């Protein structure tokens, strides 16, 4: 797989130095000639959803750092199209966005499976040609989605498991040290 498209994962190369993306996995939600965007799925944010959105009455729902762009916005992906209208299907069975007010009501009523929704603050964005340039520089490894891993709260394992899922040539990369000069 070497095609950029909605619904693929971008796995950060083990030696990518950008602090926003070191050892991250990004779900690409849109890729067009004008640019691309997605969400980092494996870096938990320090605040919970109820701390960011006072209307949410359920405590301790994790929020993930979606990326460094527009850190004043909340986004979500989910597997609940029958409950949440208006989402965009980025991969069969995985949706981005939808009616946020309905999501808050469903959470408050205890009527939503929190294992099938993931919240993000900010997003990751690339201008026209930027992501292709980063692929040429080998900053990212393209992969298929593993839906259960995508919704995992164990963010420490998502990057490693995503590499291991790609097979032997990539599995060994999961154990590379962060700084090879310390070896």
């Amino acid at each position: 797989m070497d095609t950029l498209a909605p619904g693929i994962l971008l796995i950060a190369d083990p030696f990518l130095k950008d602090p926003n993306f070191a050892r991250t996995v990004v779900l690409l939600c849109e890729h067009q000639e004008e640019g691309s965007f997605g969400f980092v799925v494996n870096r938990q944010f320090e605040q919970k959803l109820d701390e960011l959105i006072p209307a949410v009455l359920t405590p301790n729902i994790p929020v993930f750092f979606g990326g460094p762009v527009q850190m004043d916005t909340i986004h979500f992906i989910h597997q609940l199209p029958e409950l949440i209208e208006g989402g965009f299907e980025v991969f069969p069975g995985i949706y981005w966005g939808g009616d946020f007010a309905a999501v808050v009501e469903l959470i408050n009523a205890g009527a939503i499976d929190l294992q099938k929704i993931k919240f993000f603050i900010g997003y990751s964005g690339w201008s026209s040609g930027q992501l292709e340039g980063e692929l040429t520089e080998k900053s990212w490894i393209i992969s298929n989605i593993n839906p259960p891993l995508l919704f995992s709260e164990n963010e420490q394992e998502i990057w490693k498991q995503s590499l291991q899922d790609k097979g032997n040539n990539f599995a060994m990369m999961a154990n590379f040290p962060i700084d090879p000069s310390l070896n």
Side-chain angles (χ1 to χ4, degrees), residues 119-133:
F119 296 93
F120 304 94
I121 187 162
Y123 66 91
S124 301
W126 294 267
S127 60
S128 180
Q130 183 181 4
L131 185 52
E132 291 85 351

Side-chain angles (χ1 to χ4, degrees), residues 80-81 151 157 163 165:
L80 304 163
F151 286 89
E157 291 303 310
L163 284 170
D165 287 351

Side-chain angles (χ1 to χ4, degrees), residues 17-77:
K17 298 286 188 213
D18 182 335
N20 290 308
F21 297 107
R23 304 273 165 131
T24 61
V25 176
V26 175
L27 169 64
L28 196 62
C29 291
E30 188 167 282
H31 177 70
Q32 298 182 4
E33 192 173 313
E34 305 83 47
S36 308
F37 83 91
F39 304 107
V40 173
V41 297
N42 66 321
R43 186 168 291 159
Q44 209 167 122
F45 192 65
E46 63 268 6
Q47 291 178 289
K48 305 296 183 189
L49 190 62
D50 62 301
E51 295 172 304
L52 298 169
I53 308 292
V56 174
L57 304 177
T58 303
N60 298 318
I61 297 173
V63 174
F64 290 77
F65 170 77
V69 182
Q70 289 190 346
M71 290 288 295
D72 59 346
T73 60
I74 298 287
H75 305 269
F76 61 98
I77 59 171

Side-chain angles (χ1 to χ4, degrees), residues 4 8-12 24-26 28 126 131 135 140-142:
L4 289 172
I8 61 107
L9 295 180
L10 301 171
I11 305 168
T24 61
V25 176
V26 175
L28 196 62
W126 294 267
L131 185 52
L135 284 171
W140 299 103
I141 299 162
I142 296 176

Side-chain angles (χ1 to χ4, degrees), residues 95-116:
Y95 296 78
W96 159 61
D99 184 344
F100 190 74
V103 170
V104 171
E105 287 179 25
L106 289 165
I107 290 171
N108 290 343
I112 197 166
D113 181 349
L114 295 174
Q115 301 300 310
K116 293 187 175 198

